[in-house]
Amino acid sequence: MLGGKRTGSRHIAVVLLMCLFWYVISSSNNVIGKMVLNEFPFPMTVTLVQLCSITLYSGPFFNLWRIRKYQDIPRPYYYRLIVPLALGKLLASVTSHISLWKVPVSYAHTVKATMPLFTVVLTRLFFGEKQPTLVYLSLLPIITGVGIATVTEISFDMMGLISALISTMGFSMQNIFSKKVLKDTNIHHLRLLHLLGKLSLFIFLPLWLYMDSFAVFRHTAIKNLDYRVIALLFADGVLNWLQNIIAFSVLSLVTPLTYAVASASKRIFVIAVSLLILGNPVTWVNCLGMTLAIVGVLCYNRAKQITRGREQPTLPLSQNSNVKYSPLSQQTDPYYRGSVNGKLSNGLHRAPGNSLLANGSGMPSGTATRLLFV
């Protein structure tokens, strides 16, 4: 009993520590990204640096961590889902940097609180999925909060608003369709991140060469080898990669609802740090709108939890049941552990390694790996 309490306390301590790292790295990434774009106004190039970071760092580190490699994906499925996902990631990343360039970090993250709204609309359009009334009502504080923040934003820019909305829609679509890819292919979520990063870079590089490269090489920061700008670009790429890794690690340790609450709290932390360090002017009404939008996200998560609890059927119990249960051999659940004697449930062998990293989730339900992009 005492050992179980110690294990639970250790688990909570690890999650809290990783959340703290996540918040610090995410806020640092946003602040540095804003600083880079203020001095080096090329959002497409910043996107290119981040895609290069995902492509270059992920392979060696994932192999070092012994994360299982994905099997070959059928070519029709690859073109039907993987390529559109990569295009969506590319569009979301570019528009995210455009919004960060045009509007303050605090406002950009307030607009991104509309992700639940896009999730509800897109799941209805693509899958015909209807939500309970409680979920629809929980979207009202989000819409109201973002509306108040938009009307009272001192540094408002229409292109920044549109870019932030497109970016949020793109990340929402990736979250929706990544669920299907993860289920269909059994690919590890970090390997999927790496795959999409490589494919996005391959698609984006010719476009960057045509659109941005000549202007970038003529910019004074590159011509004069401004080491400060170059160092900020490098740091932005590394921090973006680390942010994704830590976010996925937190996701593998907690339930989806806990992760959603942690993500909303992270948004508050990023907004507060950006206001403190970058010092963009805000009014109390503007802060009220930001707060209302974040509270709306928490209400949406709570509404989803309540409605899911209502939908789960209750199994009848019988006191005179004669059903006998035998324990699993070696106390090993193949679904929970991901393998039996080194073999996956589909009979394929996997390389030995950390069970958490190999499975992508420390939770029996496996639902914790269903969200991919944050």
Side-chain angles (χ1 to χ4, degrees), residues 196-251:
L196 295 178
K198 290 190 296 183
L199 186 55
S200 298
L201 179 61
F202 177 77
I203 296 171
F204 186 53
L205 189 57
L207 181 64
W208 176 83
L209 289 171
Y210 177 75
M211 297 283 294
D212 233 16
S213 60
F214 295 107
V216 165
F217 290 126
R218 287 196 300 265
H219 193 270
T220 54
I222 303 301
K223 287 174 65 176
N224 300 332
L225 290 179
D226 187 337
Y227 293 108
R228 182 175 181 276
V229 172
I230 295 173
L232 286 174
L233 275 171
F234 174 77
D236 181 70
V238 172
L239 288 173
N240 178 262
W241 178 72
L242 285 175
Q243 179 186 190
N244 281 282
I245 299 300
I246 295 178
F248 297 146
S249 300
V250 171
L251 190 57

Side-chain angles (χ1 to χ4, degrees), residues 107-122 138-150 161-173 175 267 289-290 292-298 300:
Y107 178 64
H109 274 267
T110 303
V111 175
K112 288 180 180 180
T114 58
M115 185 174 287
L117 173 63
F118 283 107
T119 301
V120 168
V121 172
L122 291 173
S138 69
L139 298 176
L140 293 178
I142 300 176
I143 298 171
T144 305
V146 173
I148 293 174
T150 299
L161 171 61
I162 295 173
S163 298
L165 289 172
I166 293 174
S167 172
T168 306
M169 182 185 68
F171 285 124
S172 180
M173 288 186 67
N175 283 334
R267 207 172 294 285
M290 296 178 187
L292 186 59
I294 301 300
V295 170
V297 174
L298 296 175
Y300 169 82

